[in-house]
């Protein structure tokens, strides 16, 4: 696959449009293929809506200062919408294909199977599903070694993270190629096993349900809970990953806090997993012992802490919350 490979999106909906913007921004030609047979009038409406949204997105990026105003035209022209009847020609020179149709297994299998018969055997094919496992789709595809799940977070053109989930048949070299492609457009790919929820949806489902539960229980108002997330929870985890934060404070703190919450709230949803107690038993508590979930051996801990604290100060400035000290003693 070339550095500026042609990109095809199966489906011209929200996900296809977001992916199209991300790749067009980085210099790629993108074709969104309509997967439904439509009348000429219906297709014209879809095309106008899809290309209009792409253009509006680039216009908004111009207003935000990411691109010059005149560049929106150039970038928008890299994206096109192709009717279902012309998909063979649109797929013929595709370097990578992203499927983004509704979350219906049989529909995805049908669309993926058709596309896999019309592209080169070396063309990489990915589903952008957030719920369906790669191995539930791969048997529909010719040459499944080149198939995997690539889950984008909305808005796809802004959020850096992309979750890459290979299946049992996926060639490891394909995973490397996809990571290289994504990094080339400024994304941050992470690889995860074929498991329900991937990484982010699985964690955020727990967090969102707990936030909703606290509203239900009258713990705090929705506004105050969101303020707590924005300026506390999210603030820290924008700098420190969740597991890195466990190491920062110490896995023993999480262990004892979890035991207290489990008993006080009467729910095993707060119970710490075995890996926490196993790490404690093995002396892998975190920064204090040089290892936890991450390995800190040989690391200059003072420099590491300084870098993380600097990032937090930068966030304070971003939120307009960095204030000078009060030096007047009167």
């Amino acid at each position: 696959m070339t550095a500026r490979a042609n990109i095809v999106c199966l489906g011209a909906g929200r996900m296809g449009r977001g992916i199209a913007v991300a790749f067009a921004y980085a210099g790629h030609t993108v074709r969104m293929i309509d997967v439904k047979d439509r009348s000429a009038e219906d297709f014209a409406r879809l095309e106008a809506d899809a290309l209009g949204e792409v253009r509006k997105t680039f216009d908004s990026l111009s207003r935000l200062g990411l691109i010059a105003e005149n560049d929106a035209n150039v970038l928008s022209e890299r994206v096109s919408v192709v009717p279902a009847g012309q998909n063979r020609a649109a797929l013929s020179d595709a370097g990578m294909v992203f499927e983004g149709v509704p979350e219906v297994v049989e529909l995805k299998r049908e669309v993926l199977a058709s596309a896999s018969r019309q592209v080169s055997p070396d063309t990489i094919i990915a589903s952008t599903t957030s719920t369906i496992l790669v191995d539930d789709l791969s048997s529909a595809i010719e040459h499944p070694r080149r198939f995997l799940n690539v889950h984008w977070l909305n808005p796809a053109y802004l959020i850096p993270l992309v979750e890459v989930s290979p299946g049992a048949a996926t060639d490891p070299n394909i995973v490397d190629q996809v990571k290289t492609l994504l990094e080339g457009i400024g994304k941050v790919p992470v690889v995860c096993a074929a498991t329900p929820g991937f990484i982010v949806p699985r964690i955020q489902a727990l967090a969102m349900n707990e936030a909703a539960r606290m509203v239900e229980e009258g713990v705090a108002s929705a506004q105050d809970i969101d303020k707590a997330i924005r300026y506390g929870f999210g603030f820290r985890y924008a700098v420190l990953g969740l597991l890195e934060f466990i190491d920062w404070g110490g896995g023993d703190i999480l262990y004892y806090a979890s035991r207290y919450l489990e008993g006080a709230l009467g729910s095993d949803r707060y119970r710490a997993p075995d890996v926490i107690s196993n790490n404690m038993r093995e002396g892998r508590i975190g920064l204090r012992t040089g290892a936890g979930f991450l390995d800190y051996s040989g690391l200059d801990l003072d420099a590491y802490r300084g870098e993380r604290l600097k990032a937090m100060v930068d966030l304070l400035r971003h939120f307009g919350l960095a204030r000078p000290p009060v030096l007047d003693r009167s």
Side-chain angles (χ1 to χ4, degrees):
M1 183 166 52
T2 63
R4 292 284 181 88
N6 291 329
I7 304 298
V8 168
C9 297
L10 302 174
R14 181 185 184 192
M15 182 54 67
R17 298 173 192 185
I19 291 173
V21 169
F23 276 102
Y25 185 94
H28 293 259
T29 296
V30 185
R31 303 183 188 111
M32 293 186 284
I33 297 179
D34 184 15
V35 297
K36 292 183 180 179
D37 290 320
R38 305 175 193 265
S39 67
E41 288 184 358
D42 286 345
F43 174 75
R45 280 192 289 269
L46 171 71
E47 181 181 36
D49 184 58
L51 296 182
E53 183 174 335
V54 167
R55 177 55 195 256
K56 286 179 182 177
T57 301
F58 281 124
D59 286 340
S60 70
L61 296 181
S62 172
R63 290 192 297 272
L64 293 169
L66 277 177
I67 62 175
E69 184 177 353
N70 294 337
D71 291 341
N73 283 331
V74 174
L75 298 175
S76 297
E77 287 172 358
R78 292 174 178 162
V79 181
S80 59
V81 184
V82 179
Q86 299 176 22
N87 55 353
R88 182 175 295 275
L91 286 162
S92 63
D93 62 351
M96 184 158 184
V97 175
F98 292 94
E99 169 271 310
V101 302
E103 297 288 282
V104 179
V105 173
E106 289 311 313
L107 174 61
K108 287 183 179 290
R109 286 175 61 88
E110 178 184 345
V111 169
L112 287 164
S114 176
S116 73
R117 293 191 295 268
Q118 299 178 67
V119 296
S120 161
D122 294 324
T123 298
I124 300 173
I125 303 175
S127 174
T128 63
T129 178
S130 61
T131 57
I132 302 169
L133 298 184
V134 58
D135 292 329
D136 292 336
L137 299 172
S138 61
S139 61
I141 293 160
E142 292 189 359
H143 310 291
R145 65 172 186 81
R146 42 78 179 268
F147 177 70
L148 71 175
N149 280 354
V150 178
H151 176 231
W152 303 65
L153 278 65
N154 280 312
Y157 57 89
L158 282 184
I159 303 299
L161 183 76
V162 182
E163 297 177 316
V164 176
S165 182
T170 309
D171 185 336
N173 182 54
I174 296 297
V175 177
D176 292 338
Q177 289 186 55
V178 171
K179 289 173 62 180
T180 298
L181 177 69
L182 293 170
E183 288 167 349
I185 67 167
K187 297 302 179 182
V188 180
V190 294
V191 179
C192 62
T195 184
F198 302 100
I199 299 171
V200 172
R202 183 168 167 178
I203 292 171
Q204 74 181 10
L206 291 174
M208 290 190 295
N209 281 324
E210 195 65 14
R213 188 175 290 113
M214 286 191 287
V215 173
E216 183 178 72
E217 294 173 354
V219 172
S221 68
Q223 291 83 355
D224 279 348
I225 290 172
D226 272 355
K227 191 180 292 184
I229 296 303
R230 187 173 292 115
Y231 298 110
F233 189 94
F235 186 94
R236 293 190 298 196
Y237 298 131
V239 174
L240 296 164
L242 279 168
L243 299 176
E244 185 182 8
F245 183 72
I246 294 173
D247 288 351
W248 182 279
D252 53 334
I253 294 177
L254 175 62
Y255 174 78
Y256 291 114
S258 299
R259 290 184 63 185
Y260 172 78
L261 287 171
E262 181 183 0
L265 294 172
S267 176
D268 62 6
R269 70 179 184 269
Y270 296 101
R271 183 177 302 159
D274 290 343
V275 66
I276 297 295
S277 52
N278 290 342
N279 278 355
M280 287 178 60
R281 184 170 57 252
E282 295 167 6
R284 299 175 58 86
I285 293 175
L287 288 180
R288 299 200 307 272
T289 59
F293 283 97
L294 305 176
D295 184 2
Y296 304 93
S297 60
L299 189 68
D300 184 334
L301 292 182
D302 287 338
Y304 161 75
R305 288 190 180 96
E307 290 171 359
R308 294 297 187 266
L309 292 174
K310 179 184 181 302
M312 290 187 185
V313 170
D314 290 341
L315 274 177
L316 278 178
R317 294 192 175 106
H318 167 75
F319 284 117
L321 295 174
R323 300 171 62 179
V326 176
L327 301 175
D328 182 5
R329 298 181 184 276
S330 60

